[in-house]
Amino acid sequence: MTHPAPTAPTAPAPFAHEDAADWYRGAVIYQVYPRSFADSDGDGIGDLAGIRARLPHLRDLGVDAVWISPFYASPQADAGYDVSDYRKVDPVFGDAADAEGLVRDAHELGLRVIFDIVPNHCSEEHEWFQRALAEGPGSASRALFHFHEGRGEAGELPPNDWESIFGGPAWTRVEGGEWYLHLFAPQQPDLNWDNPVVREEFRSVLRFWLDLGVDGFRVDVAHGLVKAPGLPDIGRTGQFGLLGNAPMPFFDQDGVHEIYRDWRRVLEEYPGERVLVAEAWTPTIERSACYVRPDEMHQAFNFTYLATDWDACALREVVDTTLEAMRRVGAPATWVLSNHDVTRHTTRLGNPPGSGTQMVTPGDPVLGLRRARAATLLMLGLPGSAYLYQGEELGLPDVTDLPDEVRADPSFHRAAGQEGFRDGCRVPIPWSGTSQPYGFGPREGDPSWLPQPDAWRELSVEAQTGVAGSTLELYRSALDVRREQPSLGAGDEVEWLDAPDGVLALVRRGEDGAPVVVTTNLTSEEVRLPLPGGLLLASAELAVDGDEAVLPADTTAWWLG
Ligand code: NOJ
């Protein structure tokens, strides 16, 4: 299809892209979810100008890069993951000049910027889909999607038995009788990646934003673009988890890799190291490693790590498996505990093990926060790159009691309130002040698209700044120490030390800098360990008793070995 000539805003400010090959290998990358980060105009929805104004917070926090969830033109059926124009900023979030200014400001502060790209599906309001509806069966525009005749005598049944990840059938029938595929909501028709026009269009979209100076892309549903030939039945119904072990004919097909090789070549046309990050829910970590082979993407999210319970053996195993799999392909490991699709780890870890990654119960919030702080220090002590989700530096829990009428997660409504609790981790950030929206909007009393709990007054950036022991100060110190001690985050190996059951102890060594020992007590009892060295940082108060460290329950400490 033809697009109007891209109206790329003025040339981006010069930024030393060239200076930093491999910048991503140990980077700490902070996810901004635009509608919930900061609202500059008081309409209750965060925007790009709000993000720009808050960039100094991210610089002070000490992260290396910012990943921004979609802000493109979209009817917002799935909070922007339904894109109607890949080159436009949605007016809710601002305009092209705001996007350009955001990249420039971030670069001036030394922060890299990763945008989100959504190639598996677009919005039903995308002009391609509108044209496909209008032009009907057999048209070139229908061939950009997966339109098929139904089954049954009169085509009244969907073409196969696939179910949408958001609940209900993965097919919707249109006037004239054909059905189209949507792995997510009906408002998100899947694009047909067998069609070269689709491939060419996305190369052009990548270049559009690369020209603006972005440092890379997080690739939404990277495992979903290619479907098995013939779209075969699965042979069973029922919801399946994203991290299910069974291969699915619509996920993790080998054909996706050619697309990322192609995209890598596009990125390499640009100076410096621009990166691709896979959001790929794969059955195993080894399958994730396929996305980061040397000529494909640079990083893949480690959802297996995110979904691992607070259990020493299980965590050790996933760390080892990850490092081994990534070492084999020469890619950095990544670690993540929270994002906009799962229950925040503060809440997850206060619930019983095995509760999954989407829960509606608050669990034990005190225990959850204590474990979350320990889990974060463990994660930031591992080799590779770590992803933080906005608000985790404040220790925010999920809001588990949002009234049904304010919920916007499409799967909540499609599954009649039985699934889809992602709104709980998307409640707007409290920045300052003593009344709602706690600095999220410009004035007291401004709306916020989801209500914030009153208790968040105590959790705002302002309330925690300079307060010894606050979660915000813990994150700031951790990122400071991580920068000062290059052994943390570097390399691709950990050396495990002997430790009592339920305790993890590991040494990090880098080319530069002294070794750092990371110890995590995952039990509910205090443990004594031979003193590993001088204390650098701990997630909770601990004591040193002669030549022993006394590590309280659910605590991580970093030691200079
Ligand atoms: C993954 C995104 O993170 C999620 O928020 C979205 O709903 C689905 N992909 C569909 O785009």
Side-chain angles (χ1 to χ4, degrees), residues 351-368:
N351 271 281
S355 301
T357 57
Q358 274 202 36
M359 57 194 66
V360 280
T361 45
D364 175 343
V366 175
L367 178 68

Side-chain angles (χ1 to χ4, degrees), residues 78 81 118 121 166 184 188 218 220-221 279 340-341 422 426:
D78 184 19
Y81 283 96
V118 188
H121 45 264
F166 289 161
F184 294 87
Q188 295 167 294
R218 174 265 191 194
D220 189 63
V221 198
E279 190 232 7
H340 66 294
D341 288 330
R422 297 180 300 171
R426 297 175 177 181

Side-chain angles (χ1 to χ4, degrees), residues 237-299:
T237 54
Q239 282 282 0
F240 48 87
L242 281 171
L243 258 190
N245 289 322
M248 290 288 166
F250 43 79
F251 277 160
D252 198 30
Q253 298 292 306
D254 289 336
V256 296
H257 296 290
E258 189 43 47
I259 298 169
Y260 303 127
R261 287 190 197 105
D262 184 40
W263 287 18
R264 178 75 179 240
R265 290 190 287 270
V266 172
L267 265 66
E268 285 175 358
E269 294 166 8
Y270 287 81
E273 195 131 29
R274 316 290 175 106
V275 301
L276 294 168
V277 183
E279 190 232 7
W281 295 82
T282 57
T284 62
I285 292 173
E286 287 77 8
R287 289 295 299 183
S288 287
C290 297
Y291 291 76
V292 289
R293 289 176 288 195
D295 57 348
E296 297 193 38
M297 302 214 201
H298 299 74
Q299 295 184 336

